[in-house]
Amino acid sequence: MINIESLHKSYFRGDTPLPIIRGVDLKIERGEFVTIMGASGSGKSTLLNIIGCLDNADTGTYHLDGTAVHAADSDGLATLRSSLIGTIFQSFNLLSRRDALANVMLPLVYQGTPPSQRQALAFAALERVGLADRATHLPNQLSGGQQQRVAIARALVNKPKLLIADEPTGALDSHTGQQVMDLFKALHAEGHTIVMVTHDAHLAKTADRVVHMRDGRIVI
Ligand SMILES: Nc1ncnc2c1ncn2[C@@H]1O[C@H](COP(=O)(O)OP(=O)(O)O)[C@@H](O)[C@H]1O
Ligand SMILES: [Mg+2]
């Protein structure tokens, strides 16, 4: 599903390149659940953003489901993202003035799904995360764990081939974090491919495989 070879990326401070990803090779099979761990600043989010087609590398190759992502321009990345990938962030990123159902419908609006179908699809995604009875609640009327489950429903609504999550439990207490992790575990059991960054070694072990990063490289 994911085949990354010799990936490099630098950010610039003035004219000085700061190498952030320094030669990453990574293969992830369809249906795998992989967590990425490493110290703060080791490049985890940068790598996950490249995997999630939110950003492009400078050099190296990235094939996602057979598509040469490294050759895509920013429009191409946006198309890949909306058709193949569901993204979950630490801070939920819900629209505060829209209820749960409207938040979950948003990707369908961007995708061009006919309006008549949007509501039923979004409702089914909310049902999947156990929040059908919260469809008309605004984000600030939901707990942190419920908001993250709405964000997961939003990520699922397009039936993406790949779910990426950057520290999805980072803003939650450990009990709620475990519940969110259990939801990811169940989604994995249903066949989803998941790549997740986490700080928590205990939660990381939920996955099939833990990848460790240090200074922009994958270490054993
Ligand atoms: N947009 C950016 N511009 C400049 N430097 C950045 C940018 N994003 C991240 N960095 C730097 O790249 C390094 C790796 O960041 P990141 O991938 O977010 O690490 P992690 O997620 O492992 O904490 C950090 O030193 C960070 O300051
Ligand atoms: Mg990060």
Side-chain angles (χ1 to χ4, degrees):
M1 167 116 233
I2 288 173
N3 190 3
I4 286 172
E5 289 183 332
S6 302
L7 208 72
H8 288 259
K9 183 170 185 75
S10 295
Y11 288 117
F12 280 84
R13 184 182 293 148
D15 290 340
T16 314
L18 298 170
I20 306 296
I21 301 297
R22 307 196 300 163
V24 162
D25 297 296
L26 182 63
K27 279 191 174 64
I28 296 175
E29 304 295 335
R30 188 180 312 280
E32 249 193 307
F33 183 1
V34 174
T35 49
I36 301 175
M37 291 199 69
S40 181
S42 59
K44 304 180 299 295
S45 293
T46 304
L47 178 61
L48 193 71
N49 288 345
I50 294 169
I51 292 172
C53 300
L54 291 156
D55 200 359
N56 230 331
D58 298 333
T59 61
T61 59
Y62 170 23
H63 290 89
L64 171 61
D65 200 34
T67 301
V69 179
H70 54 273
D73 60 13
S74 61
D75 284 351
L77 285 183
T79 305
L80 284 166
R81 203 159 63 228
S82 71
S83 59
L84 295 178
I85 296 165
T87 307
I88 296 129
F89 302 95
Q90 178 174 339
S91 53
F92 322 139
N93 292 6
L94 300 175
L95 296 181
S96 59
R97 290 162 177 275
R98 304 285 186 87
D99 66 19
L101 190 69
N103 269 283
V104 175
M105 284 196 310
L106 265 190
L108 301 173
V109 176
Y110 295 131
Q111 175 101 320
T113 305
S116 58
Q117 296 171 22
R118 287 176 199 160
Q119 196 150 332
L121 288 167
F123 195 76
L126 275 178
E127 263 183 330
R128 174 63 198 84
V129 301
L131 288 177
D133 59 344
R134 296 289 188 278
T136 60
H137 288 231
L138 294 171
N140 68 8
Q141 297 170 326
L142 299 168
S143 70
Q146 289 172 334
Q147 289 184 57
Q148 191 59 298
R149 278 151 63 202
V150 172
I152 293 169
R154 180 182 57 188
L156 288 171
V157 76
N158 272 340
K159 305 192 174 15
K161 296 205 167 173
L162 172 67
L163 285 178
I164 66 165
D166 195 347
E167 307 209 27
T169 64
L172 305 174
D173 65 71
S174 62
H175 177 69
T176 310
Q178 184 63 56
Q179 289 178 338
V180 165
M181 209 60 186
D182 289 344
L183 176 56
F184 278 107
K185 212 191 292 189
L187 293 170
H188 171 232
E190 289 166 20
H192 283 95
T193 309
I194 304 171
V195 186
M196 176 187 297
V197 168
T198 176
H199 255 101
D200 187 316
H202 174 71
L203 293 182
K205 287 189 197 129
T206 303
D208 296 332
R209 179 151 64 108
V210 185
V211 165
H212 294 272
M213 285 192 78
R214 191 193 300 148
D215 297 335
R217 294 195 178 94
I218 290 174
V219 293
I220 307 299

